Structures are given as C-alpha cells and as structure tokens.
Amino acid sequence: MSSNDPQGYKKTLNSPYTGFKGWIDSRLPLVRMMEAEYLKFPVPKSLNYFWSFGGIAMFCLIGLILSGIFLGFHYKPSADDAFDSVERIMRDVSFGWLIRYLHANLVSFFFIATFIHIFRALYFGSYKAPRELVYIFGLTMFMLMMATAFLGYTLPWGQMSYWGATVITNLFSAIPFVGDAILKLLLGDFNVGDSTINRFYVLHWLLAFAIVGLVVFHVITLHMTGSNNPTGSEPQSWDETVSFHPYVTIKDLNATIFFFIILAFVLFYYPNILGHSDNYIRANPMVTPAHIVPEWYFLPFYAILRAFTADVWVVQLVSFFTGGIIDAKFFGVLAMFGAILVMALAPWLDTSSIRSARYRPMLKLWFAILVLDFFFLMWLGAMPAAEPYASLSLIASAYWFAYFLVILPLLGVLEKPLPQPKTIEEDFNKAHAKNDKLQSGAAEVPAE
C-alpha cells in the first residue's frame, strides 16, 4: 500500500470484471469473494459423498425457511385458532397441503443429513485441530435445530403438540432456585396456553435465523482451516487439491438430487410416516394421550433423559453430595444435554494423533457400536417408561458417555494404528488404481 493510497482504494477499484458487474465489484467486491470462496476454493481431491451432507443440510434449511414464510402468511398463533388455521392451510389454501407437508418432512430430512454429517465428523476425526471451532459451531447449530424443531412441533396445537410442550417445558422447573421463574417466563402463564404459543411462534422464527447466522460462522471457520478428508492428512501441494467448482459442486449436486428424490417419495406417498396421528386431534388439556412420544429425532436424547431415575446409584450419589439440589429429574436434564456436551469435548478427549478411523481398527469397532447404540436409544425412546426398557436405556446411555469419556482417551494410548499413506495423492492414486482394476476385470468377457 503506497503513501498516496493509504486506505487501498486503488486496489479495491481494480476489479477484474467490466461493465455493471465490474462497477458493483469495484465498490463491493462480493463477486470476487464468492468466486474465491465458492468456485476456486481448493479442497482435498479425495473427498467422498459423506462430505456432501453439509451442503444437503444447507439446502434443507433454505427450504424450511422459504416454506415457513409461506405458512406464516396463513398461520394464527393462538390457542383458539392455531389448530383451525393449520387445517385451513391444508384444505383451503392453494397448494397449502404441499407446503405444510414439505415443511414437516424437511425437518426430518434436515436431521437425517445432520446426523450423518456429525457421525462423519466423528469417524474421520474432523473435530481435531485445527478444526475444533468448525466442529463446535456445527454442534451449536445442532442444539439450536433441536430447540427450533421442538418449538415448531408445538405450533399445530394438536394433542402431541400440547402435551409435548407440557412435558418438555416442565423440565425447566427441575433447575434449582431459578427453574420456576424460567418456566413462567417461557410459558407466559402458569400453564401451557395462549401466551405460550405466541412465545413459541416468535422464538421459532428467531432461532431459525440464528441458525443461519451460525451457518455463516461455520463456513467461515471451515474456509479458514480447509476441509478434512478421508485420509485425515493435510494437502501437501496444489496437486492434492481441486477447485470447489466444478468438481465438488457436481458431486454434491448428484447427492442432493438423490436425497431429495427420496424426500419427494416420502412427501407424495407417505407424508405422515414420520409424524404422529394424535397430532391431528385438537389439543385438549383434559385428555392425556396414552403414550406421549416426541418426534423421532428427539428419541435418543429422550431415552437418556428417562434413563436416570431415582433408583440409579449415580443419581443417588450426586443427590446425596449436593444435598438434594440435583435430584433425579434435574440429573436427567443434565444427562440429556450432557450427551451433546461430551460430543463437543471430543477434540480434547481424543488423545490419538491419528485423525481418521480408517487407520484405527479398534476405534472403528467402538464407533460402530456407538452408531448402533444411537439407533438403540432411538428405539428405546419410543418405548414405555417401564422394564425392561428402563434398564436397557440406562445401559445404552452409559455406553454413550463411556465412548467419549473413557474409550476415546484410552484408545489414544492403547491402540496401534495401521500404516497411513504419506500423502493424499498416494491414497487417491491407490484408490483409483483399485477401481480401474475392478472395472477392467468386469469388462473382460470369458472366451467361449
């Protein structure tokens, strides 16, 4: 920067584009920034389709916001009108049934993409340095997603909406000293009612746009550190990378199209398969459903919440040493949120110098059990709070915490990793040589 140009105006005005595009870019260089960050941005050449689910989740979020805006035009957030306004959207508004079903099913597919995205990060070690903040921002988005989805689920004001809101909001009362005040502030009354649905409607929108803000920080930190890859190695030269466009964009587009074809199949043929039939019954505070079940994406954490009862020795011990301040109800709440917190601690709990589980045979085994444990907790969350489900939930919850707090630290010391490729290029060439060999073998036709 010269003394005659102290603020770098000449450099900013020197746009590579001409015409109106150049005029805009020389004053607000968004075109150059987007080209550098989303077209020419270098990524490891060995990325597979597991890396497509971040982009898929972003498209789901965009679809949710757009469909939510349309629904908001017709929805009335009051205890008297909410259920009827949803029915009006379904029956009287042009294509309202399609937008409402799209919004409801997009939530489930958003969580499917996010779960795959998170487990991919855990398997390939994408949480390790220098990508800790990328991972932390991602998990923070996941927490906000859960809160936003819960608030949205209450808005149709069906039986499951009402009683789900009642059960979950009552968990705040378990917080010592301030729980009742937080509960009253959240409900706006002494019970779930008209004030509650107004608050939830506003918070639903507020948290949705908070997620968008976190997506921006998530992407910024990702572009600062670069993407991880299946080998876990960092690129050593430009030859080991490709530009984001067209290579990754085309791959992500293929995955996105396939993903949304599945969504379209569910949307048009089984739109209620991921919901609960009781939510088509108007909310009635005088009639309690036989079995209150949250949405499927809450079930693993709901199982953890219910697992820690007053009969569990850990709960009794903690309650004794805290003088009863932390009782079984509050312990269950702590365990539910703690299940996500221990994931956030993975960058510091994993003591191994090897990122990818490809080269960690013991971790691969324990991680497979963790995935099965997640689905087992999901099934247990849908079961009644009785035996043997209560004991099984406790065992499954114990493994979830043990994986992060015990197994990850110990494996870094005890595990003997497999030999790693020296570079991404070596692994890439080896994989392509194997594929070429398989293709050439398949193409050979045996002689008659």
Side-chain angles (χ1 to χ4, degrees):
M1 188 183 297
S2 65
S3 58
N4 295 327
D5 186 23
Q7 296 186 20
Y9 288 133
K10 293 179 180 178
K11 183 178 179 181
T12 304
L13 290 170
N14 188 23
S15 174
Y17 308 107
T18 58
F20 180 72
K21 182 180 177 182
W23 185 86
I24 291 290
D25 186 68
S26 63
R27 288 153 179 79
L28 186 65
L30 287 177
V31 179
R32 272 177 285 175
M33 184 190 75
M34 294 298 290
E35 183 178 288
E37 296 297 328
Y38 292 98
L39 297 180
K40 297 179 180 178
F41 180 71
V43 296
K45 64 196 299 184
S46 59
L47 298 187
N48 57 39
Y49 279 104
F50 280 112
W51 267 260
S52 299
F53 284 94
I56 289 172
M58 183 187 70
F59 281 114
C60 289
L61 178 61
I62 293 171
L64 283 167
I65 290 175
L66 293 178
S67 58
I69 290 172
F70 178 86
L71 294 174
F73 291 156
H74 304 278
Y75 178 76
K76 295 182 179 179
S78 72
D80 293 331
D81 300 324
F83 186 85
D84 289 333
S85 68
V86 173
E87 289 301 304
R88 179 177 174 272
I89 290 170
M90 294 289 290
R91 300 171 188 272
D92 300 331
V93 176
S94 296
F95 296 103
W97 63 271
L98 178 61
I99 303 298
R100 195 265 171 123
Y101 276 147
L102 176 64
H103 192 76
N105 283 284
L106 263 176
V107 176
S108 290
F109 278 76
F110 191 17
F111 273 95
I112 290 171
T114 302
F115 284 140
I116 295 173
H117 194 55
I118 291 173
F119 279 111
R120 188 270 298 168
L122 291 173
Y123 183 82
F124 290 107
S126 298
Y127 53 80
K128 284 180 170 287
R131 299 178 181 87
E132 299 96 332
L133 271 182
V134 182
Y135 180 70
I136 297 299
F137 279 134
L139 285 182
T140 307
M141 279 191 289
F142 176 64
M143 291 281 288
L144 289 183
M145 279 174 58
M146 294 182 70
T148 308
F150 161 70
L151 295 170
Y153 188 57
T154 64
L155 298 183
W157 216 238
Q159 275 289 73
M160 282 297 158
S161 296
Y162 177 86
W163 288 101
T166 301
V167 171
I168 298 302
T169 53
N170 277 332
L171 296 177
F172 287 93
S173 65
I175 302 174
F177 310 118
V178 297
D180 290 335
I182 294 174
L183 179 61
K184 190 180 295 184
L185 179 65
L186 189 63
L187 297 183
D189 205 335
F190 293 100
N191 299 296
V192 174
D194 192 71
S195 299
T196 309
I197 198 170
N198 273 278
R199 280 164 165 74
F200 282 10
Y201 182 62
V202 173
L203 289 174
H204 182 63
W205 277 104
L206 179 65
L207 292 184
F209 286 106
I211 293 172
V212 174
L214 276 174
V215 168
V216 173
F217 283 103
H218 186 64
V219 172
I220 289 173
T221 50
L222 174 65
H223 283 219
M224 292 294 292
T225 59
S227 295
N228 188 29
N229 63 88
T231 68
S233 305
E234 299 294 338
Q236 302 299 315
S237 67
W238 289 106
D239 293 335
E240 296 184 339
T241 65
V242 293
S243 61
F244 188 81
H245 179 78
Y247 302 101
V248 178
T249 52
I250 295 300
K251 177 181 67 68
D252 287 356
L253 183 62
N254 289 335
T256 303
I257 291 172
F258 182 76
F259 188 83
F260 279 92
I261 286 173
I262 299 174
L263 169 63
F265 179 80
V266 173
L267 177 63
F268 289 110
Y269 290 98
Y270 301 98
N272 294 302
I273 193 172
L274 297 173
H276 200 288
S277 58
D278 279 5
N279 222 31
Y280 283 98
I281 303 172
R282 187 188 298 271
N284 187 348
M286 305 303 292
V287 178
T288 306
H291 187 32
I292 301 173
V293 182
E295 290 287 77
W296 69 268
Y297 37 79
F298 293 131
L299 291 175
F301 307 100
Y302 186 59
I304 293 173
L305 168 71
R306 297 190 311 180
F308 294 94
T309 63
D311 298 327
V312 179
W313 68 268
V314 176
V315 178
Q316 294 175 350
L317 190 66
V318 171
S319 180
F320 174 78
F321 281 108
T322 59
I325 293 176
I326 300 180
D327 57 8
K329 186 177 180 180
F330 186 41
F331 194 96
V333 174
L334 292 176
M336 180 176 66
F337 287 105
I340 301 174
L341 178 62
V342 291
M343 286 197 290
L345 296 176
W348 299 276
L349 293 172
D350 188 351
T351 56
S352 175
S353 59
I354 308 299
R355 279 202 188 106
S356 178
R358 270 188 176 185
Y359 314 104
R360 301 180 62 184
M362 292 178 66
L363 176 65
K364 194 180 294 186
L365 172 63
W366 291 111
F367 180 82
I369 297 173
L370 180 74
V371 174
L372 293 175
D373 185 63
F374 179 79
F375 286 106
F376 189 43
L377 282 167
M378 188 181 295
W379 177 73
L380 290 169
M383 296 295 107
E387 292 296 344
Y389 309 115
S391 297
L392 291 174
S393 296
L394 186 61
I395 294 170
S397 301
Y399 180 80
W400 182 270
F401 285 99
Y403 176 84
F404 293 98
L405 298 174
V406 179
I407 295 172
L408 273 185
L410 286 179
L411 286 182
V413 178
L414 302 176
E415 186 177 40
K416 183 178 180 181
L418 300 174
Q420 290 182 269
K422 295 180 181 178
T423 62
I424 295 174
E425 185 74 20
E426 179 184 334
D427 178 73
F428 184 81
N429 292 335
K430 183 178 178 181
H432 274 261
K434 184 178 179 181
N435 290 337
D436 292 341
K437 185 177 180 181
L438 290 172
Q439 290 175 5
S440 62
E444 290 178 3
V445 180
E448 292 291 340

